[in-house]
Amino acid sequence: MNDRYDVVIAGAGPAGAQCARDLAARGYDVVVLETEAEDGFPRQSNKSTAGTFHSMMAAFGIPDDVVMQYTDSVVLESPTEHFVRDQTGAVLEFADFKRYLVRDSREKGAEYRFDARVTAPIMENGEIAGVTYNGDEEVYGDIVIDATGPNAPLAKELGVVDLERENQAIGIEYEFEGIDIDRPGFADLRDAMMLRLDHEIAPGGYSWIFHTGEDTAKVGLCYIQNGSHSQYSRDDFTIDDYMSHWLDTDPRFQDATRIEGKQHRGSAHIQEPTQLHTDRFMAIGDTVPSLDPLWGEGINKCMQSGRAAAATADSVLKHDGVEPTAENLEVYDTLWHRDVAPNAKNRLLMTQLLYLAPNDRYDRLMRDLQRLDDDTLAKANNGDPLAIARLLELEDAPLLVDLAKQRLDLGSLL
Ligand SMILES: Cc1cc2nc3c(=O)[nH]c(=O)nc-3n(C[C@H](O)[C@H](O)[C@H](O)COP(=O)(O)OP(=O)(O)OC[C@H]3O[C@@H](n4cnc5c(N)ncnc54)[C@H](O)[C@@H]3O)c2cc1C
């Protein structure tokens, strides 16, 4: 088996597989090492609700046959109000989507090794030269990329990331049939992706119902296990308890039954990266982490980071005599901050503020959203400070004080 490549990628998630697709399309020798077996892939890593937008589908050439349901709107719910925004999107079958990325990158020339758990970097002269996997197997590359999501064995060992437990968000989801998708008294969720802000159901986070056709939907919730979660959580309630509580109390699930084998779980860190690369090495996707802190949109972000890393590798490898030093890979940081997560600081701040707010403020927020124009909303969502200020009220002063306290407690989150 070949043990030397232009680029070695650990992890066949959206970030790693997309990076491999782009590099293989440019003619590079690239290998992807994936810990799971190929038979039945993805299993444990089949974790995502996979709600996405057409910008992602078009930018990365994703075919219609991995789409479960096209959607027309995004709905935000609070305990007693809701807000509907017309915005087309798609709910993907995440497993089909992951398999498509593998298949397509293979057709472009990428190699995959399944059952290959990456454990550590191989160091030569203080720089990463390859990786060990499955204990004593080795593979070498001019550039190595960690795309293993929150696992991050290479990025952690190289000191590129410090994924802190207090910034870890956890999520759980089931797929159901028999849901009352247009229940009187609630928003019409046909062809919609709905996100609900309600501490009773997801303290310090949010829950969701993404319509997947007829009376079926993906139903889940997530929260960050710190600050606002501990403020609103119930003693001894696990994430499964919150899920059961929602299913038991929301009348839309009265006649719903779980679809067998359709349970997804996962985690991601909500924090700003301090570093993204070093000599001969880049970290992409949720290893960094790249997902959007506010609404957890990770697929597009992680694929964008994979593309930025591929473009960076290309810019170095195509020139004889140009080494992939940290300095020459710096362009990856520039692309990440410009294209993958612009305004990351402001958006993290907004995230903290949003999940700190009490339930009655969520109801008022829905009413505020109805009166504000789409432009202000889009700008606030992109972290524009003036637009965020327009969403704040005088009564939010205690919230800002809480936020300041929490930021002091959390030290260097931002
Ligand atoms: C419950 C939940 C719901 C979500 N819903 C959405 C949504 O609706 N829309 C959206 O856009 N995003 C969503 N996300 C986020 C999105 O799924 C992630 O941001 C995205 O999957 C991250 O991609 P990635 O390639 O960086 O990492 P991952 O998807 O984590 O992929 C990492 C890959 O690396 C492999 N791996 C791990 N360790 C090793 C190792 N040591 N060696 C080799 N391989 C390894 C894994 O098996 C996996 O295949 C959701 C996440 C969760 C948890």
Side-chain angles (χ1 to χ4, degrees):
M1 205 178 332
N2 188 9
D3 72 349
R4 175 153 287 284
Y5 292 83
D6 294 322
V7 183
V8 174
I9 300 174
Q18 180 55 44
C19 189
R21 257 178 116 199
D22 282 354
L23 284 166
R26 298 281 290 161
Y28 291 104
D29 288 333
V30 51
V31 67
V32 182
L33 308 175
E34 165 59 46
T35 191
E36 292 191 13
E38 182 162 15
D39 187 23
F41 175 79
R43 286 179 194 272
Q44 208 183 328
S45 69
N46 183 12
K47 61 184 179 182
S48 185
T49 315
T52 190
F53 297 99
H54 292 286
S55 47
M56 187 291 277
M57 305 285 288
F60 295 104
I62 305 303
D64 288 337
D65 57 13
V66 302
V67 176
M68 290 176 86
Q69 178 77 2
Y70 283 107
T71 53
D72 298 330
S73 60
V74 174
V75 176
L76 293 182
E77 264 187 20
S78 65
T80 63
E81 305 273 345
H82 65 259
F83 166 73
V84 182
R85 189 189 156 113
D86 293 336
Q87 186 173 2
T88 52
V91 182
L92 309 184
E93 171 50 77
F94 191 59
D96 289 349
F97 169 63
K98 281 190 76 164
R99 285 192 288 265
Y100 166 76
L101 293 176
V102 171
R103 198 168 57 245
D104 190 62
S105 48
R106 266 180 168 156
E107 277 167 17
K108 291 180 165 63
E111 270 181 49
Y112 278 78
R113 292 185 197 173
F114 285 88
D115 272 323
R117 193 170 94 80
V118 172
T119 42
I122 297 170
M123 302 301 286
E124 283 176 5
N125 305 321
E127 293 178 353
I128 186 168
V131 304
T132 51
Y133 65 98
N134 296 347
D136 57 358
E137 310 259 12
E138 296 184 342
V139 64
Y140 291 81
D142 289 339
I143 294 176
V144 174
I145 293 178
D146 194 338
T148 57
N151 210 337
L154 305 172
K156 282 181 191 161
E157 185 68 26
L158 293 171
V160 169
V161 299
D162 182 13
L163 298 173
E164 293 162 31
R165 194 173 144 63
E166 73 237 30
N167 299 328
Q168 190 190 31
I170 53 170
I172 180 174
E173 173 186 272
Y174 301 131
E175 292 183 36
F176 282 95
E177 56 192 355
I179 293 185
D180 194 348
I181 207 79
D182 184 17
R183 173 111 188 157
F186 291 86
D188 180 358
L189 299 185
R190 279 173 298 174
D191 302 330
M193 294 191 238
M194 182 279 272
L195 301 162
R196 182 179 177 95
L197 293 165
D198 184 347
H199 296 298
E200 182 66 26
I201 292 163
Y206 58 91
S207 59
W208 63 86
I209 301 175
F210 284 11
H211 189 210
T212 49
E214 308 282 329
D215 61 353
T216 66
K218 297 184 178 186
V219 179
L221 65 89
C222 67
Y223 50 74
I224 306 172
Q225 296 169 288
N226 69 10
S228 47
H229 175 71
S230 30
Q231 183 171 330
Y232 291 107
S233 61
R234 295 158 186 240
D235 285 346
D236 302 329
F237 248 52
T238 63
I239 192 160
D240 297 82
D241 295 329
Y242 284 110
M243 189 73 184
S244 305
H245 173 65
W246 190 25
L247 297 172
D248 289 345
T249 53
D250 190 318
R252 290 174 289 192
F253 305 126
Q254 214 164 298
D255 300 318
T257 49
R258 267 175 63 179
I259 302 175
E260 210 178 315
K262 296 285 194 168
Q263 179 183 330
H264 316 287
R265 259 173 214 274
S267 72
H269 289 74
I270 307 293
Q271 63 183 66
E272 202 190 356
T274 44
Q275 217 186 321
L276 298 162
H277 78 284
T278 183
D279 293 311
R280 299 184 179 277
F281 177 81
M282 289 178 273
I284 63 175
D286 278 348
T287 298
V288 184
S290 301
L291 98 161
D292 178 73
L294 199 55
W295 301 116
E297 190 196 355
I299 292 172
N300 192 19
K301 297 286 165 194
C302 292
M303 290 174 80
Q304 284 176 323
S305 74
R307 174 155 286 175
T312 304
D314 184 32
S315 73
V316 173
L317 296 176
K318 78 172 161 225
H319 298 284
D320 284 344
V322 177
E323 291 295 312
T325 57
E327 195 183 0
N328 288 333
L329 297 179
E330 182 73 37
V331 66
Y332 171 56
D333 281 42
T334 309
L335 293 174
W336 192 92
H337 287 286
R338 192 193 70 186
D339 301 336
V340 180
N343 282 326
K345 262 192 179 28
N346 288 350
R347 288 184 58 74
L348 268 170
L349 185 73
M350 252 176 88
T351 308
Q352 272 187 293
L353 195 60
L354 185 72
Y355 297 123
L356 260 180
N359 268 1
D360 61 334
R361 181 65 182 93
Y362 289 153
D363 288 333
R364 289 211 306 286
L365 176 68
M366 297 304 134
R367 293 194 286 271
D368 291 346
L369 291 176
Q370 276 153 17
R371 75 177 159 74
L372 286 171
D373 56 281
D374 280 359
D375 193 38
T376 308
L377 291 183
K379 282 184 178 160
N381 203 35
N382 287 332
D384 179 322
L386 285 176
I388 295 172
R390 288 197 63 197
L391 281 170
L392 293 174
E393 300 170 349
L394 208 54
E395 296 94 272
D396 290 328
L399 210 57
L400 294 169
V401 173
D402 270 3
L403 177 67
K405 276 198 209 134
Q406 212 181 81
R407 280 156 61 93
L408 286 175
D409 288 348
L410 287 175
S412 59
L413 180 65
L414 297 185

